[in-house]
Amino acid sequence: MSARPIGVGADIYQIRNSMRNDAESAAAAKSKKTAQELEAFILQTFVESMLPKEAENTYGEGSAGSIWKTMMAEQIGAQVARSGGIGLAKYILGEKK
C-alpha cells in the first residue's frame, strides 16, 4: 500500500476515499500476481512437454534428472510470464491489451 500524506484540513471523506483506493490497489496487485502465477504454471507445463524425453546427458538420469528438468521448465515459465507472457494473465484479468 502506498502511504499518502493527508493534509491537515482533510475531512473524513477524503481519508475514507484514500483508504478505499489503497485497498483497491492492493487487491488489484494481488489479482495480477495470482493471474501471472497461473500463466507461469501453464507455461511451465507447455515448456516441460516440449523438452526432449531422452536427454540423460543433459538432465541427468533417474529422479534427479526429472526434477532438474521440471525445475528448469518452471523457471522458464516464470520468466516468460514476468516478461509479459502470452497474454493469459491479461485475459484472465479482463484487460484489453
Side-chain angles (χ1 to χ4, degrees):
M1 286 189 254
S2 63
R4 290 187 214 134
I6 307 279
V8 175
D11 64 9
I12 190 72
Y13 297 108
Q14 288 175 323
I15 295 170
R16 179 198 66 191
N17 290 339
S18 176
M19 291 174 67
R20 191 177 286 167
N21 290 340
D22 287 347
E24 288 172 359
S25 294
K30 185 175 180 183
S31 294
K32 183 176 180 178
K33 182 176 186 252
T34 302
Q36 190 178 49
E37 288 173 352
L38 175 63
E39 182 172 10
F41 177 74
I42 292 169
L43 288 169
Q44 171 191 343
T45 304
F46 291 160
V47 168
E48 192 169 358
S49 71
M50 290 187 284
L51 293 174
K53 304 288 183 224
E54 303 298 323
E56 286 84 15
N57 292 336
T58 304
Y59 305 118
E61 295 181 16
S63 296
S66 177
I67 291 169
W68 191 90
K69 186 174 153 182
T70 300
M71 289 172 60
M72 186 175 77
E74 180 182 359
Q75 290 302 311
I76 291 171
Q79 289 299 322
V80 171
R82 275 189 218 116
S83 67
I86 58 173
L88 291 175
K90 290 178 183 178
Y91 181 78
I92 292 168
L93 295 171
E95 296 177 6
K96 299 289 182 190
K97 291 184 181 182

